[in-house]
Amino acid sequence: MSILDAAKGAAQATIQAAMGKLVPLAPDSWIPGGIPDPLIRRQHGVIGAALSRLDGPLKVQGAARFAAEFPLDDMVYAALAYATIPRGRIAGLDVAAAEAAPGVVLVMTHHNAPRMNQPAVFGSSPEAAGPADLPIMQDDRIHWNGQPIAVVLAETQEQADHAVSLIGATYAPEPATTSLAAAKAAGPQPGLFMGQPLRNEIGDAEAMLAAAPHRVDQLYRTPRHNHNAIELHGATIAWIDGGLVVHDASQLVSAEAATLAGVFDLDVAQVRVTSPYVGGGFGGKCLWDHQILGAAAARLAARPVRIVLSREGVYRGVGGRTLTEQRVAIGAEADGRFRALIHSGIAAMSPHNNMPEPFILGTRSGYAADSFSLSVETVTMNMLANTFMRAPGESVGTFALESAIDEMAVELGIDPIALRIRNEPDKDPTSGLPFSSRDIVEAWRAGADRFGWAQRSATPGTRREGEWLIGMGCATATYPYYRMPGAAARITLGRDGKAVVEVAAHEMGMGTATTTTMVAAERLGLPIDAVEVRYGDSIIPGAILAGGSQQTAAIGAAVIAAHRALVADLLKLAGNDSPLAGLSADEVGCEDGGLVKLDEPTRRESYASILDRAQRETVVAAEEASPPLELMHWSMHSHGAMFCEVRVNTVTGETRVSRFLGSFDCGRILNAKTARSQFRGGIIMGLGMALMEETQFDERNGRIMNPSLSEYHIPVHRDVPEIDVIWTDIADPHTPMGAHGIGEIGITGVAAAVANAVYNATGKRIRDLPITLDKLL
Amino acid sequence: MTPFTYARAADPDDALRLAARDGTAYLGGGTNLVDLMRETIAQPARLVDVSGLPGAIEETDEGGLLIGAAVRNSALAEHRLVRTRYPVLGRALLAGASAQIRNMATVGGNLLQRTRCAYFYDSDGSRCNKRAPGSGCDAVAGFNRNHAILGASPACVATHPSDMCVALAALDATVQLQSAQGARTLPFAELHRLPGEHPERDTMLAPGELITAIALPPLPAAARSTYRKVRDRASYAFALVSVAAVIELDGDRIADVRIAFGGVAHKPWRAARAEALLRGGPATPAAIRAAAAAEFADAAPLRDNGFKVELATRTLVATLGDLVGATA
Ligand SMILES: Cc1cc2nc3c(=O)[nH]c(=O)nc-3n(C[C@H](O)[C@H](O)[C@H](O)COP(=O)(O)OP(=O)(O)OC[C@H]3O[C@@H](n4cnc5c(N)ncnc54)[C@H](O)[C@@H]3O)c2cc1C
């Protein structure tokens, strides 16, 4: 812990001046008329400072223990064999050679796997985290090409890998739908996202489109994408005293524990899932078959198991983003006002999950129009369950919508930024709710200024340097503010003036632990090094999903609730001999390691003094966050104005991004350094989506043919230019700390900004991703 | 990975002795072979490590270069005589892989690296005649963006992935070999083969034959040479198309020209037809385009790689244009 302490000490030095200011208690209501979180008013505290990650030193020294690094006595190593057909039955499994191979402890197949319940599929209940509505290794059925068919346990990883290669399988194939054309022919179904239909009809959009003086009506396509976090999916699993302990790389420890309990007929209290560090999540580090298979094999072998998927294994067994085909049609007046906005299309899904890539979400609140027709339908293919991947919906949806808006700007001869601002809505155009905060216009102005947008020529193909054509493009980025119910926090305040804050949240490299420490320290009136945040463990009360960019808000609201309870307890403990005697929680704030009467700062007492007198070592308060009522009263979204400059080679069609700027409006930024990295990371992922990322799904047999980082291209250093990031820093008065989550918005709008820049450079409009050079020859 | 034994050869004779038994493979830097072993595509029972064999780069009496098979790719790229006399070779090397891989990879291993066809790599899920002779080819009607447009057969449409080899093809290198039968020399053009009925055989090497060195002939014209690689991202990707070119002008006529294409065939493709058409003529874009058209007259593009004909043509025009421009 000394490294952590040192880091905290250094961090504290930079913000020392900030301490010693009074922080009142936050209200726990998020309703109209409610009082904004008082931390919003604190402009000179630690919030917003560019603080390095507190866990950085541990990570660079290799001292941070990831899921596959927990050493357990007597542990064995797992390897998986995968099916090679998309649908049918296993006719024969020859495991004799594998069983006889050196070091092999167990070969588990559907013949000898323990009986397990089907995991509750994600979305079926708040605690459900199962990947699909399917039993796992309980029968001979194959549901996708790549499904695990056997688990080998051996004394070393090498022995397990070798033995698994000796397993022979034969199949009785059954008809499968593995081509998009066949899936479409079978007919699309209405898409349901988290139980809500993905459909909005306002006015007669088709008629208004037909009647509009200017029309754009195009089809856009986005391919499948796979998760490629640096850290491979891995877990170290042990059965201890009849209970299950899983050290996992997880972004939902609590839901995972609950789901595993259901699978193995255990009480939730008998399952513990820890996830202290995650080497990249992006929606992919949830519950998949491998954790369940690892636990089953560990039970069968009566030994702890380490299971780490190979990179290929991640492609075979962890779902990615599905493909989409989207129509965007806009009808506009000559002055640019939208009369009709149509955004509809299909996404492919497996028969056993429910994740229609919801690409219309951003369109619902993006622009004003007189009429809307929005829908996502699904077609069914025999494939691995697709899943969430950074900004599911918005990432690919903004490609279509923001490309179409650029096309309309060309059609109308209006600057694309001006066109967007002209259609800026004054309330949410589809829900009718007021916006909680929306300063996208400010983000556009600041961004355009800084990027030098004025230098852009509206005529494509006019800027050239040698072989290279140069163009600029822009697009709107958008992602909602979410806060899910169920979060809780526990604060333990000690007589030594130190606090431990516990939340069942996750550090996946975004800086959550650091930001949570900053916010909690500020709220408690403590220096940063007096606050320790514990997280990533299902035994901590509450459930906080690291998804939907909601973790920061969920933690924030839970800490607000626990903090209130803590102050109330402290006032009780303070008793009649305290200068605070008789005060209620609403009358005090926190400052300098103690409580202070808000309007009479001389009435104060330190935490240490209160606990001393009460002869208590600690005071503990645990509380659940208040329900996310703010989401019922306002339309809540983050935005960004994305600017891109590309160079397209006239000889080869190669596209190189030479400059990028993201100008964000995402509420109050809590940590300038980690925020900048989040935005940049999202933008880099967006550049990959724009130019190269594509899962090669062989439509003949549903097999992924590029399951490796050598053939599945993501940007390398040379593909990434200097990325400039700025933000409005305008707090949203209706959220904890005035903040919005920022993990996902960075990827949105990027592909459209690139495609629009390519158009500006070349006059060629590419409507199917990725924009590879052959499309520009 | 299948278990294997490992021995390190002290000299070429030692290597041949150690490799005398079936199921032995030579190990260079291991950057390709070890991957293939991990995927169980290669399952040698014995590895004989030849990365410690003499690895010098020497100037020959005639003014050429003799490059030991164990020379690392990065060492070769950095060598002064390579940079000044054969820039095409240095640039090809630096266009390949990553710095880390080039530090490990040997010249001998680079020559014999195997195709990156996805169906070749998918050892349990796909058919591939190169990996499992007679099983069929799933690439012909599958993902074949990276595949051959020239010289392929119904049995195999894979490409040779090396950048270095494209430069060596243009430079008329020779390959020095040693086996139990003695030493022999092979013109570079005869090292790799077209797939025909036997795509499992990438080269004309006999089993157990050891590559000891590569010889570059003296070629003053090569001082004006270059390599251009076109790929799907800025670095760390195999060539969709690449061009190695050497040109010598006599006034405004082409006195000599050597052209090889990468990414278009089962072997580095020496463009003899195009060279013959260009020699003695003007180095104009139209002439170069016409020469490329002749070279690609027999091209047989597949589902995903039809763009390669135009891409290779344009890349050739631009590459020769740059070289000619550089002389002006
Ligand atoms: C991620 C990645 C990206 C890459 N990108 C590129 C690229 O862009 N361009 C490119 O050109 N290459 C690329 N490569 C391939 C790389 O160039 C080769 O892996 C490397 O050159 C092989 O050399 P090695 O010494 O490691 O060979 P090894 O892997 O050791 O051996 C390869 C083969 O050569 C045989 N062999 C080795 N030495 C001898 C000898 N003396 N005599 C006879 N047989 C011998 C071995 O038995 C084996 O069959 C890439 C590789 C990787 C892993």
Side-chain angles (χ1 to χ4, degrees), chain A residues 260-325:
Chain A
L260 287 173
V263 169
F264 293 101
D265 277 327
L266 299 169
D267 198 75
V268 182
Q270 289 174 283
V271 182
R272 179 175 183 186
V273 177
T274 81
S275 181
Y277 301 102
V278 182
F282 310 110
K285 292 272 173 66
C286 295
L287 182 61
W288 293 92
D289 290 18
H290 66 276
Q291 296 106 319
I292 293 169
L293 290 171
R299 174 179 260 184
L300 209 55
R303 291 180 65 177
V305 165
R306 172 168 304 157
I307 183 163
V308 181
L309 297 184
S310 63
R311 185 61 66 183
E312 177 185 353
V314 177
Y315 282 75
R316 302 271 175 249
V318 175
R321 196 196 303 283
T322 194
L323 60 82
T324 71
E325 274 190 9

Side-chain angles (χ1 to χ4, degrees), chain A residues 710, chain B residues 25-35 50 53 69-70 72-73 92 95-98 101 104-114 116 161-164 205 209-212 229 231 236-239:
Chain A
S710 122
Chain B
Y26 295 121
L27 179 71
T31 61
N32 188 219
L33 181 56
V34 175
D35 272 0
V50 293
L53 296 194
R72 305 284 172 174
N73 285 191
S98 66
I101 291 171
M104 284 301 290
T106 61
V107 166
N110 193 322
L111 294 180
L112 299 194
Q113 64 172 298
R114 308 208 69 192
R116 312 304 290 203
S162 169
D163 290 300
M164 180 188 81
L205 292 196
E209 208 163 13
L210 178 71
I211 300 172
T212 54
K229 176 175 180 179
R231 48 189 149 177
Y236 207 41
F238 290 92

Side-chain angles (χ1 to χ4, degrees), chain A residues 467 698 700 703 714 719, chain B residues 119 122 138 145 228 233-234:
Chain A
E467 286 180 359
D698 196 319
R700 296 170 298 180
R703 191 158 177 85
I714 58 171
D719 293 300
Chain B
Y119 301 93
D122 185 22
D138 277 335
R145 177 178 164 78
R228 181 157 176 175
R233 61 181 167 191

